[in-house]
Amino acid sequence: MKKLIAALALALLSQPALAEEAPKWSLAIHGGAGTLDPDKMTPEKRAEYEAALQKALDAGAKVLSDGGDAMDAVKAAVIIMEDSPLFNAGKGAVFTWEGTNELDASIMDGRDRSAGAIAGVKTVKNPILLADKVRTDSEHVFLMGAGAEAFALEKGFAVTPPEYFATPARREALERMKAKQLSALDVDHKFGTVGAVALDQNGNLAAGTSTGGMTGKRWGRVGDAPLIGAGTYADNRACAVSATGWGEYFIRVGVAHEICAQLSMNELFRQGLAALGIFPPATNEPTITAQTIADEVMDDVARLGGDGGVILVTPDGEAIFSFNTTGMYRGRATSAGVNEVAIFGGEEKASATPDH
């Protein structure tokens, strides 16, 4: 008997160890959506945008691949785009009617749905960091204008001079708008808002968005980017979303929250059917996907007359884009090895879900 037990033990020890499933992580970024003309995109300009997107994507992906936090990954990616003059956020923000650069941003943690947002800030180099400081170091969610800047000073943020944010291309757009009495949409063929959404290896989701708004904005206009539920939302139970586009319509639809809410309801419905024995959840593929829901919400925006796009990441690690414009500056990276940036429609792979 002892020999038999010893033989069985040896046989078990000699079996190859089962490989542990590698933790999933996923990241998606955007640098604005709008009416983009492929014929006007020179190879040099395309390469410049792709390099900037890749730099932001790599910064966020490194945080996640190293086991870092989703919130840190979102900030890392957004900061790169805020520091680039190519995007309408931070340096390179559009001008208001009065000729100033006013910055908006928001961020949300899917673990506890804590959130921070700022609007109309003129002296903070990286608005996404101030939004996060509102989230972590105040009892508030949303601060604006002079109050937000006073809060920034109290928290040790350096005062960035206004000339840092100004770029010749953005000033020319304002001058052209005034000279020809154009609308903001006539000079802003691209909504340059930037954003990032992430899933980390611990299963936590986060979302962040930053923008300079619309060229020639007046009367303290604020769009969807700093509004939790419109331009930004994250909930570990559903998804993380960042939006870009014609803010007034995204506000009316409540785009970011609407997508997450529909995903939550769809999952509850699926679980309910499974509990009734109508189908086993382990083998049945959902009939309504995250892509379907995102597309339907963007269709709703279009029906009202708005355009733009969203990026989202799900708890399963899907990294999804949906936009109703000719293009959206975007990128995604996952633990499955996906790493890509794109500008126009149909340029990326059909799926970016980590499969381990």
Side-chain angles (χ1 to χ4, degrees):
M1 179 62 71
K2 290 181 179 178
K3 289 183 179 180
L4 178 60
I5 293 173
L8 288 171
L10 182 62
L12 288 173
L13 288 172
S14 64
Q15 292 295 316
L18 294 175
E20 292 187 8
E21 183 177 288
K24 294 178 181 178
W25 60 265
S26 190
L27 173 72
I29 65 170
H30 71 74
T35 305
L36 306 175
D37 186 351
D39 293 334
K40 295 182 180 179
M41 178 64 70
T42 66
E44 293 77 14
K45 181 60 69 175
R46 184 184 186 105
E48 192 176 6
Y49 271 105
E50 288 178 344
L53 289 168
Q54 190 66 59
K55 184 179 179 182
L57 191 66
D58 290 345
K62 185 178 189 309
V63 173
L64 296 172
S65 63
D66 288 347
D69 188 81
M71 289 288 288
D72 290 335
V74 164
K75 287 182 284 185
V78 170
I79 285 170
I80 295 295
M81 292 185 283
E82 285 180 336
D83 290 347
S84 170
L86 294 175
F87 304 106
N88 175 19
K91 185 178 184 65
V94 299
F95 283 90
T96 67
W97 186 262
E98 291 76 21
T100 60
N101 306 108
E102 295 183 359
L103 313 171
D104 310 332
S106 61
I107 194 167
M108 189 167 186
D109 189 334
R111 287 173 291 197
D112 57 3
R113 285 178 284 174
S114 59
I118 53 97
V121 170
K122 301 178 182 179
T123 62
V124 176
K125 180 182 178 183
N126 293 114
I128 195 69
L129 294 181
L130 181 57
D132 194 46
K133 186 63 72 172
V134 172
R135 180 186 71 88
T136 59
D137 284 22
S138 83
E139 64 271 36
H140 307 300
V141 170
F142 200 158
L143 300 180
M144 64 178 290
E149 292 181 342
F151 175 80
L153 284 175
E154 287 186 16
K155 299 304 176 181
F157 282 76
V159 175
T160 302
E163 55 267 25
Y164 167 81
F165 303 101
T167 59
R170 299 301 191 188
R171 190 177 298 279
E172 186 276 333
L174 177 66
E175 293 171 353
R176 181 159 42 93
M177 177 185 184
K178 288 184 173 183
K180 298 183 179 180
Q181 296 184 338
L182 302 173
S183 72
L185 298 180
D186 291 322
V187 295
D188 284 337
H189 299 294
K190 172 181 71 68
F191 301 98
T193 298
V194 306
V197 291
L199 169 74
D200 64 31
Q201 294 185 33
N202 293 316
N204 296 316
L205 294 165
T209 312
S210 182
T211 189
M214 298 183 79
T215 297
K217 62 183 180 181
R218 305 175 74 178
W219 311 298
R221 179 265 184 188
V222 176
D224 66 301
L227 298 185
I228 301 301
T232 303
Y233 202 77
D235 184 343
N236 277 7
R237 302 169 300 176
C239 67
V241 179
S242 175
T244 174
W246 196 342
E248 279 69 15
Y249 293 94
F250 281 70
I251 293 170
R252 289 162 61 185
V253 174
V255 166
H257 182 268
E258 181 69 15
I259 291 172
C260 287
Q262 288 196 30
L263 277 168
S264 291
M265 290 300 296
N266 185 56
E267 178 59 20
L268 287 172
F269 180 67
R270 191 188 70 84
Q271 291 178 7
L273 291 178
L276 294 172
I278 295 176
F279 61 78
T283 59
N284 190 83
E285 290 295 327
T287 56
I288 301 176
T289 67
Q291 185 71 63
T292 301
I293 289 172
D295 290 344
E296 288 180 350
V297 173
M298 287 308 304
D299 286 344
D300 194 21
V301 171
R303 281 191 291 272
L304 292 180
D307 57 1
V310 295
I311 54 173
L312 68 116
V313 168
T314 71
D316 291 331
E318 294 176 280
I320 293 169
F321 308 120
S322 181
F323 51 98
N324 58 21
T325 54
T326 56
M328 180 166 73
Y329 294 95
R330 60 199 186 277
R332 57 185 169 188
T334 76
S335 51
V338 173
N339 189 303
E340 59 189 6
V341 297
I343 298 176
F344 300 101
E347 290 185 342
E348 66 281 305
K349 299 172 186 176
S351 174
T353 305
D355 296 320
H356 295 297

